[in-house]
Amino acid sequence: MTAARDPLEPTITDLSPASPAAYYDQQLQLRQGVSLDLSWRLHHFNEIQKLVALFDHEPAVWIVLPMNTAKAWHITALLDAERGSTYRASLVNLLFYRFDQNADSNLVFRLSDLLRYDSGPGADTQFDVQSGDELCADFTFTALAPVDGLYSAGLHIVDLTGTISVAQLDEGLGSHNAGDVIHFSPC
């Protein structure tokens, strides 16, 4: 990423000061040049929309974000909606993506060579629940190869920082043939 990025191409980061990501930033200068670091506080989705919109006219925008936070997936979804992803890498818990205007390479998520993620609640979806309410969501996958009954899908509900697990669910996927559509509807 540091070799591929022009320092004038903005980078959106969320590098907590006391994290391994901050160490890599110090060693590799990930935020050198134009960057917007959002680690200084939690941000809600409407704030994230406004901040990402600051770069609407930039030809390329990079992100270096932890993969387990709501903020990261909000930013990723917003950039992917209007741009194509032309660079993708990851290191431990960090995502390194580049989004370019007029590129048609939208993100497609695969779980090894077994499943492709097709759809589910978007990053802009907000669920309002109170204590004791049921929270349900629908996810769709396509089997890329035969899936035997040994696999399961897990859903973890975490706080905005990704550090506190509020709820977890693990459910078997069953057996499927290549090309089958698999619905995962956890509650």
Side-chain angles (χ1 to χ4, degrees):
M1 179 236 174
T2 56
R5 177 182 171 246
D6 180 320
L8 295 179
E9 295 171 339
T11 300
I12 301 172
T13 65
D14 183 6
L15 306 178
S16 178
S19 69
Y23 170 80
Y24 287 114
D25 180 44
Q26 183 180 19
Q27 298 299 311
L28 301 173
Q29 299 179 354
L30 300 174
R31 294 180 288 178
Q32 179 183 13
V34 179
S35 68
L36 172 64
D37 186 62
L38 303 177
S39 65
W40 54 282
R41 73 171 177 84
L42 298 178
H43 295 82
H44 293 285
F45 181 70
N46 58 347
E47 294 174 300
I48 294 294
Q49 282 180 304
K50 291 175 185 174
L51 292 168
V52 170
L54 294 173
F55 301 119
D56 280 352
H57 299 292
E58 295 293 331
V61 177
W62 290 81
I63 61 171
V64 179
L65 299 167
M67 66 176 64
N68 63 341
T69 66
K71 191 186 306 184
W73 293 108
H74 289 314
I75 293 167
T76 303
L78 288 166
L79 289 170
D80 189 53
E82 301 296 325
R83 300 166 177 265
S85 176
T86 58
Y87 179 95
R88 284 174 258 184
S90 63
L91 173 66
V92 188
N93 189 36
L94 283 178
L95 300 173
F96 300 84
Y97 290 173
R98 175 187 166 138
F99 293 93
D100 288 295
Q101 288 181 347
N102 304 320
D104 59 0
S105 51
N106 287 329
L107 290 174
V108 176
F109 294 99
R110 292 183 345 167
L111 309 171
S112 70
D113 291 327
L114 195 62
L115 295 174
R116 180 184 68 228
Y117 171 77
D118 293 325
S119 67
D124 60 343
T125 304
Q126 179 173 321
F127 295 97
D128 294 314
V129 294
Q130 296 178 9
S131 181
D133 287 352
E134 187 172 65
L135 173 63
C136 299
D138 293 310
F139 300 90
T140 305
F141 303 92
T142 297
L144 301 174
V147 177
D148 59 27
L150 299 178
Y151 293 92
S152 66
L155 178 65
H156 302 265
I157 299 174
V158 296
D159 69 351
L160 286 172
T161 67
T163 57
I164 299 172
S165 181
V166 178
Q168 299 180 58
L169 177 107
D170 196 2
E171 188 174 291
L173 291 177
S175 296
H176 299 276
N177 296 315
D180 285 356
V181 174
I182 302 169
H183 297 282
F184 176 55
S185 302
C187 286

